[in-house]
Amino acid sequence: MGSPGATIGLAQIGEILWERRPPRHFHLVDGGLRPKPAPANTRAASLAYLPHSAGLLQAYAQAHVTDPSALEFLVPLYRRIELERAVTQLLRADVAAFSVYVWNIRYSLAVARELKRRRPEVLVVLGGPHVPDRAEGFLR
């Protein structure tokens, strides 16, 4: 049997609501511009959200680590779910990495804080554009 590995949980939470608004088209009616009705199937369309940076991190690690079989990646946390469920999803992680942005920082910190409370030995890593250059005070 090989050496013990690490279980990694990645989190990149999308915005609360992703909605695609149908484009507005106009046509001339009686000398004036009038909006054309949008097709019914586009009104409730929503965008799929891909946790792109989490996928890139996993792919990079699997391609460049000495023993890729030593890493187990959990299903990424990519949408806002009840805090309890989010923490439960990451409980097996040895490393929990969060990609933080202005729209997910509070939620991500709440998940990380509760995860650390339950499993003090877990290594929590935050990256992304919302982490300040001098992050020690921010993270404490």
Side-chain angles (χ1 to χ4, degrees):
M1 187 165 201
S3 61
T7 301
I8 301 170
L10 299 172
Q12 181 184 353
I13 310 301
E15 290 190 53
I16 294 173
L17 178 64
W18 290 80
E19 182 181 325
R20 179 176 52 207
R21 295 185 183 133
R24 299 215 43 198
H25 296 282
F26 297 89
H27 59 158
L28 282 173
V29 176
D30 297 327
L33 284 178
R34 304 279 187 250
K36 282 185 177 180
N41 63 349
T42 62
R43 291 206 184 272
S46 63
L47 297 174
Y49 177 73
L50 295 173
H52 186 69
S53 66
L56 290 175
L57 288 170
Q58 181 175 341
Y60 184 87
Q62 289 172 324
H64 297 285
V65 72
T66 306
D67 181 9
S69 66
L71 299 178
E72 176 189 357
F73 285 89
L74 302 174
V75 173
L77 181 60
Y78 63 92
R79 63 187 177 95
R80 287 176 197 262
I81 56 178
E82 178 187 277
L83 182 68
E84 175 63 31
R85 286 181 51 214
V87 172
T88 299
Q89 185 173 328
L90 295 172
L91 271 177
R92 291 192 318 109
D94 299 308
V95 178
F98 295 82
S99 181
V100 294
Y101 299 84
V102 69
W103 59 80
N104 71 14
I105 185 65
R106 288 187 178 159
Y107 177 82
S108 296
L109 287 174
V111 173
R113 188 178 299 114
E114 182 59 20
L115 179 61
K116 193 72 168 169
R117 187 187 71 75
R118 292 191 197 178
R119 290 205 50 231
E121 70 278 8
V122 69
L123 174 63
V124 173
V125 178
L126 279 87
H130 200 78
V131 177
D133 290 338
R134 291 181 169 81
E136 185 177 351
F138 172 78
L139 295 174
R140 291 200 184 282

